[in-house]
Amino acid sequence: MRIRGVKPFASAVGLLLGLLCAVEAAKVNKHKPWIETTYHGIVTENDDKVLLDPPLIALDKDAPLRYAESFEVTFTKEGEICGFRIHGQNVPFEAVVLDKSTGEGVIRAKDKLDCELQKEHTFTIQAYDCGEGPDGGNMKKSHKATVHIQVNDVNEYSPVFKEKSYKATVIEGKKYDSILKVEAVDADCSFQFSQICSYEIVTPDVPFTIDKDGNIKNTEKLNYSKERMYKLTVTAYDCGKNRASEDVLVKINIKPTCKPTWQGFNKRIEYEPGTGSLALFPSMHLETCEEPITSIQASIMLETNHIGKGCDRDTYSEKSLHKLCGASTGTVELLPAPSNSANWTVGLPTDNGHDSDQVFEFNGTQAIKVPEGVVSTTLKEPFTISVWMRHGPGSREKETILCNSDKTEMNRHHYSLYVHNCRLVLLLRQEPTESENYKPAEFHWKLDQVCDKEWHHYVLNIEFPAVTLFVDGATFEPFLVTEDYPLHASKIETQLTIGACWQDLSGHDNDTETLSEPLTGGSARMTQYFRGNLAGLMIRSGKLENKKVIDCLYTCKEGLDVQLPEEVASAVKVEFNPNQSSLSLEGDDIESFEKVMQHISYLNSRQFPTPGIRHLRVTTTVKCFNEETCISVPDSEGYVMVLQPEEPKISLSGIDHFARGAAEFESTEGVTLFPELRIVSTITREVEVEAETEAEGEDDPTVQETVVSEEIMHNLDTCEVTVVGDDLNGDHESLEVDLAQIQQRALEMSSSNVGMVITGVNTMANYEQVLHLIRYRNWHTEALFDRKFKLVCSELNGRYISNEFKVEVNVIHTANPMDHANNAMVQPQFINQVQHASVDLSGHNLANTHQASVVPSAATIVIVVCVSFLVFMIILGVFRIRAAHQSTMRDQENGKENEMDWDDSALTITVNPMETYEDQHSSEEEGDEEEEESEDGEEEDDITSAESDSSEDEGGEQEDQQGSSRQQQLEWDDSTLNY
């Protein structure tokens, strides 16, 4: 029997059996998982999910197949992906399997990522399957794939400026492309968020703008006078529109237009006398406006032409200056300051000032005659002529400085010094000799100094036939020498004149002028007048002036000085002119040059400098690398103000009234006029003193000004003793001094009938010693009762003058008392009352048992009698007070300044009371009465004990006792005198 449907059933069973066999065979893990070789991923910072390209999927061939949906298949772990493994150090990522059967997985961050720390990460990854069996044996791994992950940035940071503030300096009047650049940074890691996209000036209404790169520039020309500094607030934005966390401050200083010049230069510089060197440019520097400099030259000029004779020098007489500079004797001063002993310059106009030298002006109509005997008639060769001269361009006529010509008739010029067409000419005619040959007669020098209106010092050393000229210490040889015959012998006297040349009237009326000066006398005429200023005209006969003395005479006491620092001494070249009124500098290093400039100083070595302005000028020249753009430095001008020195007050003091016996006046020694003279000089200055206040809570002291007198030491150059009253009569009186002592102190003495003059620069102490030696002698004293003298000392040629110290000396006469025994008018020896504080009565021992007093004064006898009566009344009143111990009004009116012990035994007193005289002395008598009362208890009384007994016992019978024949010694008790 055949069964239908058997065949299809068999087919299904076979298929099922085959599938089961295939599944059984698949349980064997034969293949490795497979993944891509490279992956690229992106992750955002602060997030953990990584987007990979391609996606992370692992495949395995061991995985079972799926046929139809009608079949249910049970899969085993063979062919499944169990996980992924990441290889690398400190990799902040992990891989996770999402589906084991499909092999799908993801990579994610373990923690939050920071792009600013690391923008990219690279590591390797490997997939592995689940292996075989329950224990996962025979597990297979895939190959390693490289994974690149980029961390995307988040705009979490704001811009920050690199500097806390910015500064710049610009010059006014210019528009800049960029004044300065500000810069901000952003800490974000991405280009978008880390870039600064814009800057902004927050401050409104300022003439500045800023671009996206941070460059600030001005929108208009800036004006220093309008605004000297601008303050701007600037902010920044990144490309993510984040604003800077803090804005920044920008300061822009405006400078005036740059001008090359010396800066730090004070136009007024004050110099206090006696302070030494004063730095002129302590903080000076050169502004070059950033122009490169290759070399620099500068000259500093100190203008002192208006001070004295071109600068500040000692203003002693020219003769004294020659001595100070070492010149020997034999120098004759032809233009001395007017005085009693040298009065021929009285008529000439001078500068009338004591601060500078004695300068004489000649205006073309004035001249003076030098008295005979001042200069030798014939100069002994060699000789020297020196003079200070200031002369400008003049006429074409000769202008005579010094001329020695015939007094009458021939008008020959023996020697002369004159100016002609800006030439200095010396005429020197030789005296008659045996030979009549031509000899040099005129020496010509063509000099710019002669006509430049400036002071110059001229010295001519003449040693015939050679003549050497020194001008301001520099030597000049004559460019022309003319010859002439020697003079013919004659007996005509010569006349030495200054400022013109003496000529006789006859035959010369057309080219001469009449001299109106009283010194010329008669109807004399002068010619060839000088126009200019002269000072210090000297002639020194018998010796030439050496170069050392000439330099000393010309050297200024003020000038420029510089102390070069060691580090720049070789870098800058420094040169001075002879009188140090200018110096020049040259160098190539600006820094070293400025250091030298800062060490330039002004120095005035005089104790009492001439006050006033000294103009200062700095002239500078520079060289640059680029000559086309090289700068030009303008001159800098200022002045040094020399302040007024504290003027010394020279005080003369001593005994100003004393008496001496007639015998002393007639002796060979005479009477010393100034035995206790003192010379003191003081200055008065204001000083600030701190005074503490007594008020509570005021701790700060107040400053008060007080006047302080201070004694100083300086030299003197003249002391003059003159007679007050009648001139000295040379027949019987004179002033004398030890000439050896004068010469030992390098001083000179001249005397005349009006007094004595001591000259020479020396200390006050030496002058004191010399003045102590001055004596007055009178060898006919019969008619002499008193003599008065006046002493005045001075310094710096009369710039500082002492007080007038007057001395009165009285003559004490003595005679035989028997000649006047019966003469009622004979008075006791007496000296008129002295109103001065000091009276010298020492050394007057008038004791003589055979002599009595005679009238010592030429005043009226009546006054003497009154004085005698007063003395009598005083003595009587004193001893009545001592006996009765009472005080009355009459006793208080008695007294006398100078107590005297009177021997009145031989006197007859005639009383002529004068009430006016008593009233005049009442105040002095009251003071003396009190003084006598205080001495009542002392053992040594003002009168002798004999006189005291006589006064008490006999009282009103005093006059009878005076008529006795008792002869006693007249003594002066000067123990109570006030000196």
Side-chain angles (χ1 to χ4, degrees), residues 154-209:
V154 176
N155 193 13
E156 57 185 330
Y157 292 100
S158 298
V160 176
F161 286 95
K162 288 186 174 181
E163 303 290 340
K164 292 183 178 181
S165 64
Y166 292 86
K167 294 181 181 180
T169 301
V170 296
I171 299 175
E172 66 174 346
K174 293 178 64 177
K175 289 190 68 174
Y176 291 83
D177 294 333
S178 177
I179 295 175
L180 78 160
K181 181 179 180 180
V182 298
E183 187 175 358
V185 294
D186 196 308
D188 288 313
C189 66
S190 64
F191 178 81
Q192 178 185 4
F193 298 138
S194 65
Q195 293 299 308
I196 306 300
C197 283
S198 64
Y199 292 90
E200 180 184 350
I201 297 176
V202 180
T203 306
D205 302 327
V206 291
F208 298 94
T209 185

Side-chain angles (χ1 to χ4, degrees), residues 862-914:
V862 175
I863 294 176
V864 177
V865 171
C866 293
V867 173
S868 302
F869 176 73
L870 280 175
V871 173
F872 168 76
M873 297 301 294
I874 291 170
I875 297 172
L876 183 62
V878 168
F879 288 96
R880 284 185 177 180
I881 290 171
R882 295 181 61 187
H885 297 285
Q886 295 179 356
S887 178
T888 62
M889 293 299 297
R890 179 178 179 181
D891 296 330
Q892 294 178 357
E893 294 177 355
N894 292 329
K896 186 169 180 64
E897 179 178 351
N898 298 322
E899 266 92 45
M900 305 180 186
D901 290 342
W902 295 86
D903 183 2
D904 52 6
S905 59
L907 294 180
T908 300
I909 299 177
T910 302
V911 179
N912 183 14
M914 299 179 66

Side-chain angles (χ1 to χ4, degrees), residues 596-613:
V596 175
M597 290 289 291
Q598 293 168 5
H599 283 79
I600 295 175
S601 59
Y602 169 79
L603 176 63
N604 195 316
S605 59
R606 293 188 65 192
Q607 186 177 10
F608 305 108
T610 303
I613 291 175

Side-chain angles (χ1 to χ4, degrees), residues 544-761:
L544 299 178
E545 211 73 274
N546 60 52
K547 185 67 166 56
K548 183 178 179 180
V549 173
I550 295 172
D551 291 340
C552 174
L553 293 170
Y554 175 70
T555 300
C556 295
K557 293 294 184 178
E558 66 176 342
L560 300 173
D561 192 19
V562 61
Q563 299 295 331
L564 291 179
E566 294 182 2
E567 63 272 15
V568 298
S570 60
V572 180
K573 182 181 179 182
V574 181
E575 291 183 353
F576 284 91
N577 71 334
N579 61 358
Q580 291 191 300
S581 62
S582 70
L583 63 87
S584 60
L585 309 177
E586 184 176 355
D588 52 13
D589 180 64
I590 294 183
E591 184 177 353
S592 300
F593 201 93
E594 290 177 346
K595 286 185 178 179
V596 175
M597 290 289 291
Q598 293 168 5
H599 283 79
I600 295 175
S601 59
Y602 169 79
L603 176 63
N604 195 316
S605 59
R606 293 188 65 192
Q607 186 177 10
F608 305 108
T610 303
I613 291 175
R614 278 75 163 162
H615 290 283
L616 198 62
R617 180 191 297 264
V618 180
T619 304
T620 309
T621 304
V622 298
K623 293 183 180 180
C624 312
F625 287 103
N626 189 349
E627 293 297 332
E628 296 180 358
T629 61
C630 193
I631 61 176
S632 176
V633 181
D635 292 352
S636 298
E637 295 184 358
Y639 62 92
V640 177
M641 171 59 74
V642 178
L643 302 179
Q644 179 75 36
E646 300 289 347
E647 294 194 0
K649 180 182 179 181
I650 306 173
S651 301
L652 309 179
S653 61
I655 301 173
D656 57 0
H657 196 172
F658 58 90
R660 295 288 186 271
E664 290 190 40
F665 288 91
E666 297 175 357
S667 68
T668 57
E669 295 297 326
V671 174
T672 302
L673 291 181
F674 313 106
E676 298 183 16
L677 177 72
R678 281 207 63 202
I679 305 176
V680 177
S681 183
T682 58
I683 59 173
T684 302
R685 63 180 61 182
E686 291 185 354
V687 296
E688 293 183 351
V689 179
E690 293 185 355
E692 296 183 357
T693 58
E694 298 179 356
E696 295 182 359
E698 296 183 6
D699 296 334
D700 296 336
T702 59
V703 178
Q704 298 178 351
E705 289 189 353
T706 182
V707 178
V708 176
S709 182
E710 178 181 340
E711 184 174 346
I712 62 170
M713 301 300 296
H714 58 79
N715 291 330
L716 297 176
D717 61 356
T718 302
C719 280
E720 185 172 5
V721 182
T722 55
V723 181
V724 179
D726 297 336
D727 293 347
L728 294 174
N729 188 335
D731 294 337
H732 61 265
E733 61 179 343
S734 67
L735 286 175
E736 298 178 358
V737 69
D738 189 347
L739 292 178
Q741 296 291 332
I742 293 283
Q743 296 172 357
Q744 182 180 346
R745 292 168 177 81
L747 297 173
E748 293 187 359
M749 185 274 294
S750 62
S751 60
S752 65
N753 60 345
V754 296
M756 176 184 294
V757 180
I758 300 174
T759 58
V761 180

Side-chain angles (χ1 to χ4, degrees), residues 199-261:
Y199 292 90
E200 180 184 350
I201 297 176
V202 180
T203 306
D205 302 327
V206 291
F208 298 94
T209 185
I210 188 170
D211 61 17
K212 63 182 182 64
D213 296 323
N215 294 305
I216 298 176
K217 63 180 181 180
N218 54 321
T219 57
E220 62 184 40
K221 293 181 179 180
L222 304 176
N223 191 333
Y224 175 79
S225 60
K226 181 180 179 182
E227 192 71 41
R228 297 188 179 186
M229 185 178 70
Y230 289 91
K231 294 182 180 181
L232 314 177
T233 301
V234 178
T235 191
Y237 294 90
D238 62 19
C239 295
K241 300 301 182 181
N242 270 4
R243 180 173 173 170
S245 57
E246 290 185 5
D247 298 337
V248 72
L249 178 64
V250 178
K251 295 180 181 180
I252 299 177
N253 293 306
I254 313 302
K255 286 180 60 177
T257 303
C258 183
K259 297 178 181 178
T261 185

